[in-house]
Amino acid sequence: MDVHRPPRRPHAWWLFLAVSQSIVFAIWWRYGWRIGLPVLLLSHLPFVWGTLWPRSRLFAPVLARLPTDEPCVWLTIDDGPSDDTPALLDMLEAHGAKATFFLVGERAAARPQLVREIARRGHGIGNHSATHPSAWFWALGPRRMRAEIERCQAVLQELTDVTPRWFRAVVGMANPFVSAPLRDLSLARAAWSTRGFDAVDGDPAAIVARIERGLSPGAIVLLHEGARHGRNVETIGLLLQRLDALGYRTVLPEELDFTSMLVGAATERRPV
């Protein structure tokens, strides 16, 4: 099963908007504002949910879990590169673990050697916007949204000669204008299935306990680097120890696709 699914019809939401607002107009015209106004507000709730809920597929496909029954997880590390990156790379290597680093374009441009080292060590590199406008990413218009995604993609490609295949929305919130640039760049959107709020919480034990409650085969784990509390490296180290103890291995989605292809080919060749 190919889990990499860029948007195919990025403007389909316009049809839903046109139909829903036509119905609202008809109700307002027939029954007046006392009925029309509540209906208008209700008609916008799907768009609010689609924007603010990180796993919403209203505007585009979103991967929130790997389709596998094997005890494996996809580690994703947001907001780098940072001062934490070298230690994280060494720690992942010591545990034989792989992760995808969702990098911010301007931070990558400022630390190109770290970006190249991430790629050299065989980890994934994902697009996490050019400037990481955490307060307003969900509300960006089409031009600024496209610029955020395209500029980050260009920086990462130039630094690594690798084309990122995955995009993660800032704070996980993505409005309808995300889909068109993702389609044009063949980017698929990744969310998560478990997180520990390590961007704001500096207690490694509490963070790992939260993540563990959401662990299951195919879980996508949301992690961060470079947080102000300075304990991301310690937290990820503790998580790697816990994953080892629980018998979980780490996998990149590209590896999972490749493994599935090999299994399918072997099944086709097996004599009956």
Side-chain angles (χ1 to χ4, degrees), residues 24-207:
V24 169
F25 177 80
I27 292 174
W28 196 303
W29 182 269
R30 176 66 177 82
Y31 298 103
W33 71 270
R34 294 181 185 277
I35 301 295
L37 181 58
V39 172
L40 174 65
L41 296 176
L42 286 173
S43 73
H44 284 76
L45 286 181
F47 291 92
V48 175
W49 170 77
T51 297
L52 301 183
W53 180 243
R55 302 176 198 171
S56 168
R57 294 176 172 84
L58 181 63
F59 306 128
V62 180
L63 183 66
R65 180 179 297 277
L66 298 178
T68 180
D69 295 325
E70 297 295 319
C72 61
V73 298
W74 180 18
L75 298 182
T76 63
I77 304 174
D78 286 10
D79 298 352
S82 70
D83 291 340
D84 292 342
T85 305
L88 289 176
L89 291 174
D90 290 342
M91 188 177 297
L92 289 165
E93 186 172 340
H95 285 266
K98 295 295 183 183
T100 295
F101 288 75
F102 283 89
L103 304 178
V104 178
E106 64 178 11
R107 298 172 191 174
R111 301 176 185 231
Q113 71 284 357
L114 292 182
V115 180
R116 297 188 185 102
E117 186 65 10
I118 292 170
R120 188 189 71 80
R121 297 208 195 186
H123 299 285
I125 291 180
N127 184 321
H128 196 41
S129 83
T131 65
H132 200 268
S134 56
W136 296 107
F137 185 83
W138 64 274
L140 296 182
R143 183 175 299 180
R144 173 69 187 280
M145 183 68 75
R146 179 175 288 275
E148 285 286 338
I149 297 172
E150 289 183 344
R151 283 166 49 202
C152 182
Q153 192 80 345
V155 168
L156 298 179
Q157 282 182 285
E158 181 179 354
L159 292 178
T160 65
D161 291 326
V162 174
T163 301
R165 302 177 74 234
W166 296 97
F167 170 79
R168 173 165 286 152
V170 179
V171 200
M173 300 177 185
N175 66 33
F177 304 124
V178 165
S179 297
L182 294 190
R183 180 199 59 182
D184 296 345
L185 295 171
S186 295
L187 283 165
R189 187 176 160 204
W192 57 85
S193 53
T194 185
R195 65 183 301 184
F197 297 95
D198 59 329
V200 293
D201 189 347
D203 184 345
I207 293 166

Side-chain angles (χ1 to χ4, degrees), residues 203-226:
D203 184 345
I207 293 166
V208 171
R210 291 189 199 106
I211 292 173
E212 186 174 341
R213 286 195 290 270
L215 278 182
S216 62
I220 300 177
V221 184
L222 172 62
L223 300 163
H224 294 84
E225 61 174 298

